[in-house]
Amino acid sequence: MLDIQQLRANLDTVAAGLAKRGKPIDFSAFSALEAERKTLQTRTQELQAQRNSLSKQIGMLKGKGEDASEVMAQVGALGDELKASEARLAELLGEFNAILAALPNIPDDSVPVGADESANVEIKRWGTPKAFDFPVKDHTDVGEGLGQLDFATAAKISGARFSLLKGGLARLHRALAQFMLDTHTAKHGYTELYAPYLVNAASLHGTGQLPKFEEDLFKVLRGEQDPLYLIPTAEVPVTNIVRDEILAAEALPLKLVCHTPCFRSEAGSGGRDVRGMIRQHQFDKVELVQIVHPDLSTAAHEELTGHAEAILEALELPYRRIVLCSGDMGFSAAKTYDLEVWLPAQDTYREISSCSNFGAFQARRMQARFRNDKNKPELVHTLNGSGLAVGRTLVAILENNQRADGSVEVPAALRSYMGGLELLEPAR
């Protein structure tokens, strides 16, 4: 959430920053509410001053034994108007909050300006895509050829955009998540969490999914109780740990990692990637979250992205890092790096991790703060990124490590998690 004082003091600057996202925002409603607020605020202060002055007169008149009824009547009339003014000011606060909740974050000055993904900028490339001497299959054909990836049964059980993994492939999926957790905890200094898969609306508001993106969520109704939502990512429960908290400065940074399934309705996907495991309603992800001092969030963003890259490098998967332009970033992000892994069947790089710095945007929504060196509460900065999306990593392994006979080579880094197994082989 943006700072309302920033809008009041520098509305043109805020509007220009948000316009970089490619969709200029009409602030006329905000300006009208602000004009009304200023008028009401001034009138309320005048009424309060008049009431205080008249109350003193009442005391003096009564002290002299004189009739104070006329002045008391004036105070009563002022009280009615004052009560109405204060009530309207409270209503205005709610209307301001509704406007602020719908405004995205302002892109960082270092973010390239552009309308869509065509303006994203590649800043790093690692690894060389393998040259195959046989026709390359996509991950769906490779997995089904192994007899270990089953979309038909998953569709019977749940519907489209679900998958069923079997045997060695299911074990490889589990091994990937365990390898990621072990790497991030042992080598990168993260604390592992196990978090709820169902969250309340306040948590989703805190990280920015609500109210704007409710159609992307799976909502669980509970009769008379408030609904819960299946998490779209572990970012939601993990980041909300600090909601409504004031942390000690020495507690920062918090570096947290969590493996969960993620649930997304894909309401806005427009039918993209309907084949295979790229875009599903349920998928696993290992999520990295950092809660840091504001002065250190830029450095933390580079560090966190490097931690996600380390997984790809350990698995020997070619990838590139791109910085998203202003028009392609998520709602809450101030700056985002996407990591894209090479998929030979598509002959292109595809997203496998988004690593974002949100600045104080989420923290303001959550009221997540720390005590600064003056012992005053100050908003923390929040960051997160996939470290990595487990299903998409599995896709990349199936495609990059396939062999002509239909088998798939298990990456060396995962073999100890697979009982020494070096190959996934088709059933004979």
Side-chain angles (χ1 to χ4, degrees):
M1 184 176 287
L2 300 180
D3 184 356
I4 194 169
Q5 300 303 332
Q6 187 181 11
L7 271 71
R8 287 170 175 163
N10 300 292
L11 184 59
D12 289 345
T13 301
V14 171
L18 292 177
K20 293 178 182 179
R21 286 180 169 268
K23 297 179 180 178
I25 296 171
D26 182 1
F27 282 98
S28 58
F30 176 87
S31 297
L33 289 175
E34 179 61 8
E36 183 182 357
R37 183 198 67 83
K38 286 181 178 178
T39 300
L40 267 177
Q41 195 82 52
T42 300
R43 180 56 180 160
T44 300
Q45 292 169 353
E46 290 174 352
L47 291 170
Q48 289 170 337
Q50 290 177 36
R51 184 179 62 179
N52 292 341
S53 176
L54 290 171
S55 295
K56 289 180 182 178
Q57 289 184 40
I58 292 170
M60 292 172 61
L61 289 169
K62 287 185 175 181
K64 294 176 182 179
E66 297 178 10
D67 181 16
S69 58
E70 184 177 338
V71 182
M72 291 174 68
Q74 292 179 49
V75 170
L78 287 176
D80 291 341
E81 185 181 352
L82 184 59
K83 189 179 294 184
S85 294
E86 290 173 340
R88 178 55 186 155
L89 282 172
E91 289 177 0
L92 286 175
L93 178 60
E95 292 178 41
F96 278 125
N97 285 338
I99 290 174
L100 290 170
L103 293 177
N105 204 353
I106 299 173
D108 186 80
D109 289 341
S110 64
V111 170
V113 178
D116 54 40
E117 61 183 16
S118 64
N120 294 342
V121 178
E122 181 180 321
I123 56 176
K124 176 183 178 180
R125 190 172 289 209
W126 184 92
T128 303
K130 187 185 300 183
F132 292 88
D133 58 3
F134 59 89
V136 174
K137 297 178 180 178
D138 74 5
H139 70 278
T140 299
D141 291 335
V142 173
E144 290 180 335
L146 290 170
Q148 298 174 17
L149 179 56
D150 186 345
F151 292 105
T153 303
K156 178 180 72 173
I157 297 167
S158 300
R161 292 194 172 184
F162 290 92
S163 57
L164 180 67
L165 306 182
K166 304 175 183 178
L169 198 58
R171 185 173 183 177
L172 183 59
H173 185 270
R174 173 163 54 89
L176 276 168
Q178 190 63 58
F179 168 69
M180 293 173 190
L181 288 170
D182 288 349
T183 301
H184 294 313
T185 54
K187 295 185 178 180
H188 301 152
Y190 289 81
T191 298
E192 183 178 351
L193 300 180
Y194 174 78
Y197 302 163
L198 287 162
V199 294
N200 55 31
S203 294
L204 288 155
H205 181 274
T207 43
Q209 285 81 11
L210 289 180
K212 193 173 179 63
F213 303 104
E214 185 164 10
E215 68 172 6
D216 295 327
L217 303 168
F218 284 108
K219 188 174 185 177
V220 180
L221 300 177
R222 302 190 297 158
E224 297 299 317
Q225 299 183 70
D226 291 337
L228 293 175
Y229 298 82
L230 286 166
I231 58 171
T233 164
E235 166 199 354
V236 180
V238 175
T239 309
N240 272 277
I241 289 172
V242 296
R243 174 158 52 92
D244 297 323
E245 299 287 337
I246 301 178
L247 306 171
E250 55 269 23
L252 300 177
L254 293 178
K255 297 171 63 176
L256 309 169
V257 61
C258 188
H259 167 224
T260 66
C262 306
F263 305 91
R264 299 185 185 176
S265 73
E266 295 295 345
S269 67
R272 291 174 295 168
D273 299 310
V274 293
R275 174 178 165 84
M277 296 178 64
I278 294 292
R279 195 177 298 275
Q280 298 206 297
H281 291 310
Q282 176 186 316
F283 60 95
D284 278 40
K285 190 147 63 79
V286 171
E287 188 77 1
L288 305 174
V289 172
Q290 292 200 26
I291 313 294
V292 304
H293 190 288
D295 293 345
L296 301 178
S297 66
T298 298
H301 192 199
E302 299 297 325
E303 177 191 63
L304 183 148
T305 306
H307 293 157
E309 290 175 335
I311 301 296
L312 288 165
E313 292 174 15
L315 297 173
E316 301 180 77
L317 294 172
Y319 71 90
R320 65 176 187 170
R321 184 201 293 200
I322 62 173
V323 58
L324 299 190
C325 73
S326 54
D328 198 33
M329 288 195 309
F331 176 82
S332 299
K335 184 175 183 178
T336 297
Y337 292 125
D338 266 11
L339 302 182
E340 297 182 342
V341 69
W342 177 256
L343 296 184
Q346 296 188 20
D347 195 33
T348 192
Y349 291 91
R350 293 297 304 269
E351 179 202 334
I352 196 168
S353 173
S354 280
C355 301
S356 297
N357 185 353
F358 304 100
F361 187 84
Q362 290 180 328
R364 185 171 287 107
R365 297 170 79 99
M366 295 187 299
Q367 282 301 288
R369 296 165 290 171
F370 74 103
R371 292 202 177 275
N372 61 23
D373 55 9
K374 296 179 181 178
N375 203 36
K376 292 184 177 180
E378 181 180 346
L379 294 169
V380 297
H381 278 195
T382 64
L383 306 96
N384 70 52
S386 306
L388 302 163
V390 179
R392 291 196 179 192
T393 309
L394 188 67
V395 165
I397 290 172
L398 290 175
E399 293 201 7
N400 283 281
N401 290 21
Q402 63 181 292
R403 300 180 11 158
D405 63 359
S407 63
V408 175
E409 184 178 356
V410 175
L414 298 178
R415 290 173 188 170
S416 62
Y417 294 88
M418 298 287 290
L421 187 68
E422 296 184 6
L423 285 177
L424 297 182
E425 297 185 89
R428 302 300 182 186

